[in-house]
């Protein structure tokens, strides 16, 4: 038992370390949004309510728990997709590429969105769904939008997958691979945090500046693709 625990210690410590790094980076991002006024704490008494706060205000306690479950399912799938790609690439040897990382990242993001839709369909009442549907474009447009949005998220998941592959392949020992993963998690996490804060802050307004939001989305995609291509070179 002691031998088994010792053999498993390094991978688990790495996993826990990456989780703690993400938590710290996220906390820094929240601190930035708090200081810049991007976070709203009392939407009920506000005269002008941001769009995201309006959407979240319709969630009751039970609906909020269901929403958290749906979000956790999507995030779990996304993380598992990255880990699975890295594991398969390491086992097969030489099969990882920027194109395949993006395509599997896109597929993972699309399935995550489908899972959100499936669970989300049971969160809101028929009246709420009908009210929201009347303000949304047609089903065809929503499907295309979901596919495009999944492709956008695919750049992020693809970059994360390829970075994980590069960290493992560039390491000569398992210890070095763990260190590489922790460093990459911190560096890439800070980059993604800055982009997420900027995008969220632009989106969470009473009146959204579409040109500014579009520029942030473009910056997100460009940086994700840059990380994807850079990691693919290191992974060779």
């Amino acid at each position: 038992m002691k031998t088994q625990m010792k053999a498993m210690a390094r991978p688990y410590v790495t996993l826990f370390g990456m989780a703690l790094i993400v938590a710290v980076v996220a906390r820094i991002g929240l601190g930035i949004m708090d200081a810049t006024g991007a976070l709203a704490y009392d939407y009920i008494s506000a005269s002008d309510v941001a769009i995201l706060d309006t959407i979240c205000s319709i969630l009751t306690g039970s609906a909020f728990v269901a929403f958290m479950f749906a979000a956790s399912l999507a995030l779990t799938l996304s993380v598992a997709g990255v880990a699975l790609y890295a594991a398969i690439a390491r086992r097969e040897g030489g099969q990882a590429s920027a194109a395949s990382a993006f395509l599997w990242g896109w597929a993972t993001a699309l399935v995550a969105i489908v899972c959100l839709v499936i669970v989300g369909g049971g969160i809101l009442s028929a009246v709420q769904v009908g009210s929201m549907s009347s303000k949304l474009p047609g089903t065809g447009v929503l499907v295309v939008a979901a596919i495009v949005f999944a492709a956008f998220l695919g750049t992020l998941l693809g970059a994360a997958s390829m970075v994980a592959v590069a960290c493992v392949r560039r390491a000569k020992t398992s210890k070095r691979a763990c260190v590489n993963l922790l460093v990459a998690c911190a560096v890439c996490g800070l980059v993604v945090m800055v982009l997420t804060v900027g995008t969220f802050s632009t989106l969470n307004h009473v009146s959204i500046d579409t040109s500014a939001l579009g520029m942030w989305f473009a910056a997100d995609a460009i940086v994700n693709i840059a990380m994807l291509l850079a990691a693919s070179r290191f992974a060779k």
Side-chain angles (χ1 to χ4, degrees), residues 43-44 51-71 116 119-125 128-129 132:
Y43 65 85
I44 296 177
I51 290 177
L52 292 181
D53 297 324
T54 302
I55 295 174
C56 292
S57 67
I58 66 176
L59 298 176
T60 61
S62 56
F64 180 74
V65 172
F67 175 79
M68 292 298 294
F69 163 75
L116 280 173
V119 178
I123 293 177
L124 303 177
S125 67
Q128 289 173 316
V129 172
M132 293 179 64

Side-chain angles (χ1 to χ4, degrees), residues 28-41 197-198 200-202 204-205:
I28 294 173
L30 288 171
I32 294 173
M33 288 192 288
D34 179 36
T36 57
L39 289 180
Y41 296 101
V197 168
F200 180 88
S201 300
T202 306
N204 195 37
H205 282 283

Side-chain angles (χ1 to χ4, degrees), residues 87-118:
I88 293 175
R90 183 183 183 187
R91 184 187 64 189
E92 296 297 333
Q95 298 300 313
S97 67
S100 64
F102 166 73
L103 290 174
W104 283 117
W106 171 79
T108 302
L110 184 59
V111 174
I113 292 175
V114 171
C115 290
L116 280 173
V117 172
I118 292 174

Side-chain angles (χ1 to χ4, degrees), residues 88 98 169 190 218:
I88 293 175
R169 286 190 176 176
L190 287 170

Side-chain angles (χ1 to χ4, degrees), residues 96-195:
S97 67
S100 64
F102 166 73
L103 290 174
W104 283 117
W106 171 79
T108 302
L110 184 59
V111 174
I113 292 175
V114 171
C115 290
L116 280 173
V117 172
I118 292 174
V119 178
I123 293 177
L124 303 177
S125 67
V127 175
Q128 289 173 316
V129 172
S131 176
M132 293 179 64
S133 299
S134 64
K135 301 176 183 178
L136 296 174
T139 303
V141 175
L142 291 177
V143 171
V144 173
I147 294 175
V148 172
F149 185 61
F152 164 73
L153 292 179
T155 61
L156 177 59
L157 296 181
S161 299
M162 191 53 67
V163 167
V165 172
C167 288
V168 174
R169 286 190 176 176
R170 297 286 293 187
K172 295 181 179 180
T173 63
S174 60
K175 181 179 180 179
R176 185 60 196 177
C178 294
V179 173
N180 289 348
L181 287 170
L182 291 172
V183 173
C185 185
V187 175
C188 297
L190 287 170
V191 174
V192 174
M193 179 270 289
V194 171
L195 294 170

